[in-house]
Amino acid sequence: MPLPPLMGRGLPLLGHFPYIHGLGVDSFAFFMEGYRQHGRVFAVRDMKDTFAVLLGPEANRFVLERETPHLSWGAAYGDEGSRVMGPTAMPLLDGEEQRRRRAPMMSAFRHQNIVAFGDAMVELARAQTAGWKEGQPVDLIGAMSELTFRVACGFLLGVEIGEDYPRFRELYKKMFTPVGLALQAAGLPYMQRYRDGLRRLSARWIADRRAHPRDDIISRLLEAGLDDEDVISQVLVLMFAGHDTTKLSLTWTLALLLRHPEYLARVLAEQDEVLAEGPIDAEATRKLPVLERALRETHRLYPPVSLLRRGVLEGFELGGYTIPRGWKVMYLPRVSHQLPDVFKEPERFDPDRFAAPREEHKQPYAMVEFGGGYRTCIGKELAMFEAKVVLSYLLRTFHFELAPGQRLEVANAGAMTSPRYGVKVLVKRTGRRVPLAQAA
Ligand code: HEM
């Protein structure tokens, strides 16, 4: 069988590098054009690698259900990722080594642990929004970034990191600037001093869990025999994977609701009916299908992560082409969610597409905003619960409006679907009190 068709030759020397890494160019338009020209399998390349671009539910299933010896996470992110997160960070590992880390983490993400954190989420949202003033535009991305970092920190590390929080936040912010990431990935030791700072800071938390184990991630990883450096790597992975994504999910959902007032009215009516004066607890969040569909539609149009890769360890055939060993493959949630034979009028914001009888997402792997298969996102339930709790809190506490002239477009930067012009909103308090579940 032939190799997949190459999407033009790209730029001299760089090939398709700027599109693959989202550097100042519209990667989404580029890959959509690839789909229009070549269909669901085609190839692009940068200075080092050739990538097969795989689109649509069948191809997503292929990528997400295969592991070593066929496809590998480690071979996709390899040295670059290891310089950023440490060589034993879970997303860089395959097979047994990966499972040894995922299993203990999973037990901390149990349903009861997640829903037990609901009141803390409400309290953190209350604190985060306490200073919002009428007439002063609020930078939603900034606010959601801070809030989701606090939620991730509280859930993963324990709210009691208390006085260490400002230092941890500062180190994290310095490590994960786009420039910092690029320098580190290019082999410059940009992150070392921040990692050292983080190591000193977390040594105390780790020592504490060694002495007093609990039902949390650090304790579980220690029980599984990981050393301190390894535990720090997993903490970094979880903080990175768990807050930048949820920040985007919350911001885009609210922005799209404000752009679609008729659907927002239905979300608000559901809130009044289900929550009334009651708390936003586990039971209530199960009864919010109108809000849930808005979230899913937002994830379809603007999946927080838009490009994921694997290394090819053993060649295979797909869609009439041979993908040889040594290539890489990528799956693209944002492009896959736009295929018109899977989702009707895919560019429209239409949350009802997820309701019966349409249920356009029913085909397995049509929606891949959380990946899928054996390594599906470990934080999926936490992220969905957090989104429902935080959005409910915000919508019950404030009337929102997009700031005049606010444009909603995706930035041409990296693999994350960030809003190019940020999202500024104007708020007015509703005067409603949102009680905690514990007090109810
Ligand atoms: C809306 C929010 C989120 C989105 C859209 C999202 C998206 C994803 C995607 C697409 C993958 C699969 C990557 C691949 O196939 O290469 C993934 C994996 C992962 N996610 Fe999430 N995620 C979200 C929230 C979270 C949260 C809250 C956490 C943890 C606190 C988290 C932790 C992880 C981890 C650790 C993995 C790697 C799993 C493994 O290696 O087995 N994510 N996520």
Side-chain angles (χ1 to χ4, degrees):
M1 279 193 196
L3 295 175
L6 192 65
M7 176 69 191
R9 300 179 69 82
L11 302 169
L13 298 176
L14 294 176
H16 303 107
F17 181 83
Y19 296 101
I20 296 165
H21 299 277
L23 296 176
V25 290
D26 188 345
S27 303
F28 174 68
F30 171 79
F31 288 117
M32 279 307 285
E33 184 53 30
Y35 164 69
R36 276 189 284 272
Q37 284 181 21
H38 302 293
R40 295 177 179 216
V41 182
F42 57 94
V44 294
R45 64 176 174 215
D46 64 13
M47 299 81 84
K48 245 174 36 226
D49 296 300
T50 305
F51 294 80
V53 179
L54 307 178
L55 303 174
E58 295 83 8
N60 291 336
R61 158 176 270 176
F62 190 93
V63 175
L64 292 166
E65 288 189 353
R66 274 195 185 48
E67 56 177 318
T68 46
H70 305 278
L71 295 179
S72 148
W73 290 50
Y77 301 106
D79 292 350
E80 197 184 306
S82 113
R83 285 195 289 260
V84 175
M85 305 272 186
T88 59
M90 184 166 72
L92 309 178
L93 303 175
D94 292 296
E96 258 320 296
E97 283 299 304
Q98 183 261 343
R99 276 187 275 278
R100 208 181 126 216
R101 288 160 181 83
R102 181 164 170 127
M105 286 191 204
M106 287 289 287
S107 66
F109 281 91
R110 275 195 314 271
H111 173 75
Q112 74 255 34
N113 290 9
I114 291 172
V115 297
F117 205 67
D119 272 357
M121 289 175 184
V122 170
E123 285 294 33
L124 290 168
R126 204 189 306 280
Q128 184 63 42
T129 56
W132 288 5
K133 296 209 171 55
E134 289 189 15
Q136 278 182 12
V138 172
D139 161 21
L140 208 52
I141 273 282
M144 293 305 106
S145 177
E146 193 58 38
L147 174 57
T148 54
F149 195 85
R150 281 184 186 273
V151 169
C153 215
F155 182 79
L156 301 169
L157 304 174
V159 257
E160 69 282 359
I161 77 163
E163 65 194 32
D164 289 339
Y165 180 85
R167 179 87 186 114
F168 182 52
R169 178 68 171 141
E170 186 198 325
L171 283 168
Y172 182 91
K173 271 192 181 162
K174 288 195 168 138
M175 274 180 86
F176 290 98
T177 61
V179 176
L181 281 170
L183 290 174
Q184 184 68 27
L188 299 169
Y190 169 85
M191 285 186 182
Q192 201 47 51
R193 64 199 160 116
Y194 303 122
R195 276 188 76 90
D196 288 346
L198 196 66
R199 193 181 298 113
R200 283 194 295 275
L201 195 60
S202 43
R204 261 190 300 138
W205 311 335
I206 294 175
D208 173 68
R209 298 307 195 279
R210 278 198 199 282
H212 313 284
R214 332 178 183 168
D215 186 12
D216 72 359
I217 305 248
I218 294 183
S219 302
R220 299 281 170 172
L221 291 169
L222 289 170
E223 262 168 45
L226 268 57
D227 64 24
D228 290 14
E229 193 64 21
D230 206 330
V231 172
I232 293 172
S233 285
Q234 312 318 325
V235 167
L236 275 182
V237 166
L238 289 167
M239 292 302 300
F240 185 61
H243 109 280
D244 275 323
T245 47
T246 27
K247 148 190 109 183
L248 292 173
S249 162
L250 287 166
T251 303
W252 280 116
T253 307
L254 194 52
L256 290 183
L257 284 173
L258 299 179
R259 258 294 128 80
H260 297 89
E262 62 308 328
Y263 197 85
L264 174 61
R266 288 170 57 196
V267 170
L268 293 176
E270 178 185 72
Q271 291 274 317
D272 285 344
E273 191 190 320
V274 175
L275 293 165
E277 301 301 312
I280 311 170
D281 57 11
E283 204 197 323
T285 54
R286 268 198 299 275
K287 296 184 201 144
L288 299 172
V290 181
L291 177 62
E292 173 153 347
R293 292 203 285 270
L295 264 163
R296 295 177 116 182
E297 181 66 338
T298 304
H299 288 167
R300 188 184 68 78
L301 287 165
Y302 300 113
V305 197
S306 59
L307 188 155
L308 299 120
R309 310 184 220 158
R310 301 284 187 273
V312 181
L313 299 183
E314 214 170 72
F316 61 91
E317 291 176 355
L318 188 75
Y321 298 106
T322 296
I323 318 291
R325 175 174 173 204
W327 277 32
K328 289 183 175 163
V329 295
M330 54 171 90
Y331 77 93
L332 307 173
R334 190 164 167 222
V335 180
S336 278
H337 295 170
Q338 286 287 328
L339 302 191
D341 55 340
V342 183
F343 295 103
K344 227 171 120 212
E345 294 185 79
E347 65 295 337
R348 267 189 64 205
F349 177 79
D350 179 11
D352 292 330
R353 68 175 78 245
F354 293 100
R358 289 170 63 191
E359 297 184 304
E360 294 174 11
H361 62 293
K362 273 289 172 207
Q363 190 178 354
Y365 299 94
M367 287 286 293
V368 284
E369 79 275 37
F370 289 108
Y374 73 109
R375 279 179 81 166
T376 197
C377 174
I378 203 171
K380 182 173 162 181
E381 187 185 348
L382 175 67
M384 289 302 281
F385 180 70
E386 176 178 355
K388 286 189 214 164
V389 170
V390 171
L391 288 169
S392 296
Y393 177 81
L394 294 177
L395 292 168
R396 297 197 72 58
T397 312
F398 298 97
H399 297 294
F400 287 93
E401 227 179 90
L402 284 174
Q406 175 67 57
R407 289 162 68 189
L408 297 180
E409 278 171 39
V410 176
N412 294 330
M416 304 298 281
T417 311
S418 305
R420 181 173 192 164
Y421 306 104
V423 176
K424 293 266 190 327
V425 290
L426 298 172
V427 298
K428 220 183 254 170
R429 289 189 181 270
T430 58
R432 216 182 254 124
R433 291 276 316 147
V434 178
L436 295 180
Q438 247 177 8

